[in-house]
């Protein structure tokens, strides 16, 4: 079975497929482009808040519950 991509990889793939630039998507979510880039690369110290994940899900046309569950499953990517 194919392994699901990491949370950040999924967000980046969906964001680009929806035509959002990194800067525009970050603006709509309410984060800095640098922070969003780090989330997509799995290089942040703390994961996005539930509200920000909810906003990402809305913009990407994804289920908030599924995206939150995916984030929790990928939580190890945020551990230092």
């Amino acid at each position: 079975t194919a392994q699901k991509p990491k949370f950040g990889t999924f967000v980046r793939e969906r964001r680009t497929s929806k035509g959002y630039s990194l800067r525009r998507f970050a603006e709509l979510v309410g984060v800095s482009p640098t922070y969003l880039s780090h989330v997509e690369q799995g290089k942040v110290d703390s994961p996005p808040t539930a509200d920000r994940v909810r906003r990402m899900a809305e913009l990407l046309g994804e289920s908030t519950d599924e995206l939150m569950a995916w984030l929790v499953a990928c939580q190890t990517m945020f551990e230092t």
Side-chain angles (χ1 to χ4, degrees), residues 9 12 23 31 39 43 50 61 76:
T9 302
R12 182 177 55 244
R23 183 173 302 278
V31 298
V39 167
K43 296 181 179 179
T76 58

Side-chain angles (χ1 to χ4, degrees), residues 38-51:
H38 288 174
V39 167
E40 290 182 352
Q41 295 173 50
K43 296 181 179 179
V44 293
D45 293 331
S46 60
T49 64
D51 285 342

